[in-house]
């Protein structure tokens, strides 16, 4: 087999125990804010200061957060398997990298700024404001390089190719409410993969063959031990 044999998809739940909010839980980000006001290109067009302030605060929180035992266990898996593993995250924090893993950030990253005028991307650690000019084209249209509703997620060609050849698929800490990530399990099932759903709440009926219910910091290290004993 040449491609990755294990594909893992993570969501906000994997970073919840590091203190970063999820989106759709009862105390989640979308319970306090309307995504249409903050996570669409139209919102950025309408009120860029508000959108940038929201992401500046999220960037500050992410910069202060520490990886937890789930991130560290996935780092251990990555060190053991290398390219036999594709770790895909919907998260825009960098806690997988801090935990020792390399992740494909399909919804982008808080720590990259892109220019809405010329498309140039660069690493970014501080605030972004509407007063800042793009160093490449001078336009004042810098934004966080995150994927908003209606925009195309990143790295989909790599992800679908891996899903078509994988033997094991795991979804960790994601509600499965957002496409196209929510449908990855269907591609893995079509490839004949064992499909694990690891979540603090049970959610049956989405096609997963295995359900591991409990906090990511408990379930993920145990699951990683099991996988490492098998491969
Ligand atoms: C724990 C835990 C613990 C808690 N341990 N577990 C109508 C029908 C179908 C689709 C559409 C539709 N209308 C529009 C669409 C498409 C749209 C979409 O899916 N909308 C739905 C909401 C209806 N999707 C898009 O627009 C995407 N682009 C797109 O589709 O392009 C076209 C295309 C066409 C063809 C092929 C491919 C593409 C882009 C989606 C961009 C999402 N952006 C956001 C915000 C930006 C980044 C940011 O600000 O951070 O990304 S929305 C938000 O949701 C964020 C997340 O990455 C994403 C997923 O959320 P996640 O991670 O699942 O979090 P939660 O809160 O939902 O769930 C947390 C889970 O953790 C829960 O299950 C808890 O139980 C669990 N948990 N603590 C373990 N300790």
């Amino acid at each position: 087999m040449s491609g990755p044999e294990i594909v893992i998809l993570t969501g906000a739940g994997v970073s919840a125990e590091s203190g970063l909010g999820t989106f759709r839980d009862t105390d989640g980000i979308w319970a306090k804010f309307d995504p249409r006001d903050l996570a669409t290109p139209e919102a950025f067009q309408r009120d860029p200061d508000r959108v940038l302030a929201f992401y500046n605060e999220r960037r500050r929180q992410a910069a202060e957060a520490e990886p937890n035992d789930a991130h560290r266990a996935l780092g251990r898996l990555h060190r053991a398997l290398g390219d036999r593993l594709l770790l895909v995250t919907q998260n825009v924090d960098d806690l997988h990298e801090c935990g020792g893993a390399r992740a494909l950030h399909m919804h982008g990253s808080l720590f990259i700024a892109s220019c809405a005028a010329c498309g140039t991307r660069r690493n970014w650690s501080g605030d972004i404001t509407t007063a800042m000019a793009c160093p490449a084209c001078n336009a004042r249209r810098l934004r966080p390089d995150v994927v908003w509703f209606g925009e195309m997620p990143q790295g989909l060609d790599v992800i679908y190719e891996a899903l078509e050849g994988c033997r094991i698929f795991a979804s960790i800490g994601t509600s499965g409410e957002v496409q196209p990530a929510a449908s990855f399990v269907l591609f893995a099932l079509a490839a004949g993969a064992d499909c694990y759903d690891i979540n603090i709440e049970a959610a049956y009926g989405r096609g997963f063959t295995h359900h591991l219910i409990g906090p990511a910091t408990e379930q993920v290290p145990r699951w990683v031990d099991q996988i490492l004993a098998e491969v």
Side-chain angles (χ1 to χ4, degrees), residues 3-4 7 85-88 104 153-165 184:
V7 178
L85 167 71
L86 177 66
L87 173 60
V88 179
L104 190 166
Q154 300 178 8
L156 286 180
D157 46 351
V158 173
I159 298 169
Y160 285 123
E161 191 179 337
L163 287 168
E164 280 165 16
F184 289 172

Side-chain angles (χ1 to χ4, degrees), residues 10-17 21-25 28-30 35 38-39 54-55 58 89-93 107-108 110 146-153 156 160 172-181 198-201 203 206 214-217:
T10 66
V14 81
S15 295
E17 291 165 86
T22 61
F23 293 93
R24 294 171 186 80
D25 291 314
I29 294 172
W30 296 155
L38 295 165
F54 171 72
Y55 282 98
R58 300 254 318 273
T89 188
Q90 298 168 89
N91 298 344
V92 295
D93 63 53
H107 290 168
L110 288 167
V146 300
V147 177
W148 288 323
F149 287 109
E151 295 185 320
M152 191 57 84
L156 286 180
Y160 285 123
I172 303 174
T174 174
S175 60
E177 296 280 337
V178 174
Q179 298 291 355
I198 304 178
N199 200 299
I200 201 162
E201 283 179 6
R206 290 173 46 218
T217 53

Side-chain angles (χ1 to χ4, degrees), residues 50-222:
R50 182 172 182 203
V51 172
L52 292 176
F54 171 72
Y55 282 98
N56 288 339
E57 177 57 26
R58 300 254 318 273
R59 190 181 302 100
R60 278 182 227 124
Q61 290 169 0
E64 282 173 15
E66 297 284 343
N68 63 45
D69 285 348
H71 298 110
R72 282 190 282 269
L74 294 173
R76 189 156 53 86
L77 192 64
H78 174 74
R79 280 191 295 280
L81 296 185
D83 290 342
R84 292 163 69 195
L85 167 71
L86 177 66
L87 173 60
V88 179
T89 188
Q90 298 168 89
N91 298 344
V92 295
D93 63 53
D94 61 353
L95 293 180
H96 283 307
E97 287 77 8
C98 295
R102 188 180 61 222
L104 190 166
H105 284 261
M106 66 174 290
H107 290 168
S109 167
L110 288 167
F111 298 101
I112 299 176
S114 66
C115 173
C118 73
T120 303
R121 292 181 159 107
R122 49 181 40 82
N123 292 338
W124 205 274
S125 56
D127 286 359
I128 301 173
T129 70
T130 46
M132 291 171 172
C134 168
C137 76
N138 227 26
R140 294 181 197 281
R141 290 181 61 200
L142 290 177
R143 56 166 280 186
D145 190 40
V146 300
V147 177
W148 288 323
F149 287 109
E151 295 185 320
M152 191 57 84
Q154 300 178 8
L156 286 180
D157 46 351
V158 173
I159 298 169
Y160 285 123
E161 191 179 337
L163 287 168
E164 280 165 16
C166 73
R167 194 170 62 73
I168 295 171
F169 172 74
S171 165
I172 303 174
T174 174
S175 60
E177 296 280 337
V178 174
Q179 298 291 355
S183 297
F184 289 172
V185 61
L186 303 179
F187 289 83
L189 285 168
D194 281 337
C195 293
Y196 294 83
D197 188 29
I198 304 178
N199 200 299
I200 201 162
E201 283 179 6
Y204 301 107
R206 290 173 46 218
F208 288 92
T209 53
H210 304 271
H211 293 268
L212 304 179
I213 300 159
T217 53
E218 289 175 16
Q219 294 296 333
V220 176
R222 206 176 297 152

